[in-house]
Amino acid sequence: MEFLQANLDYLVLGTLGLMSFIMLALVIERYLYLNRVKVQQFDHIETLKIDLTRNLTTISSIGSNAPYVGLLGTVLGILVTFYTMGQGGKIEVHTIMLGLALALKATAAGLLVAIPAILFYNGLLRKVEVLTARWQAWKDGKGA
């Protein structure tokens, strides 16, 4: 329990920081790729979709799982607070409130990672839909 008490912030916030870094790197890569891709170079719609949607699953997974990582940090923080209360003998409201407030920061951090990830994912998905529609319009115009 002492290990958890000493390292909980580092574990949870470190995990969320890593998730955030990965998400931002993939978002930047996707935006750069989607802005320079030439849909006319693809012969088949499925090949186009595979290239356009690469890494979107990871971005979506980070967005959907970051709140759970934050929630896990909150639950573990509350567990540590209650454990510390049980070990101390006397209960001080100040100590309890401080422990609970620190535990809740993990949930806030999880949401701070998840919300932008889902917004970026939705924006990228819209761009994929537009590029797919442009390919279809190009293919229809070429065949006519």
Side-chain angles (χ1 to χ4, degrees):
M1 188 62 76
E2 287 76 27
F3 173 80
L4 191 59
Q5 188 174 8
N7 297 303
L8 182 60
D9 282 348
Y10 299 117
L11 293 171
V12 173
L13 297 179
T15 301
L16 289 169
L18 179 64
M19 292 170 76
S20 182
F21 178 78
I22 292 169
M23 179 265 301
L24 285 174
L26 293 177
V27 165
I28 290 168
E29 183 275 331
R30 283 289 85 193
Y31 270 113
L32 290 175
Y33 177 77
L34 294 176
N35 283 332
R36 65 178 159 77
V37 69
K38 304 286 187 244
V39 295
Q40 296 83 4
Q41 71 187 24
F42 294 91
D43 293 328
H44 198 273
I45 187 78
E46 295 305 319
T47 308
L48 175 65
K49 287 180 182 179
I50 289 169
D51 278 359
L52 294 180
T53 59
R54 182 171 288 123
N55 295 329
L56 290 186
T57 302
T58 304
I59 295 168
S60 174
S61 295
I62 289 172
S64 61
N65 287 301
Y68 294 115
V69 173
L71 182 60
L72 176 63
T74 298
V75 169
L76 292 174
I78 291 170
L79 178 79
V80 167
T81 300
F82 287 154
Y83 177 80
T84 304
M85 285 173 29
Q87 296 295 316
K90 67 178 184 175
I91 299 174
E92 296 178 10
V93 174
H94 177 272
T95 305
I96 296 169
M97 291 301 129
L98 181 63
L100 295 178
L102 291 176
L104 289 172
K105 77 178 171 187
T107 298
L111 292 173
L112 286 174
V113 173
I115 292 169
I118 295 302
L119 290 173
F120 284 134
Y121 172 77
N122 287 334
L124 288 166
L125 201 57
R126 172 67 181 145
K127 194 143 182 80
V128 166
E129 291 170 357
V130 167
L131 289 170
T132 304
R134 285 187 183 153
W135 180 88
Q136 192 65 51
W138 171 76
K139 201 67 161 176
D140 291 346
K142 182 178 154 182

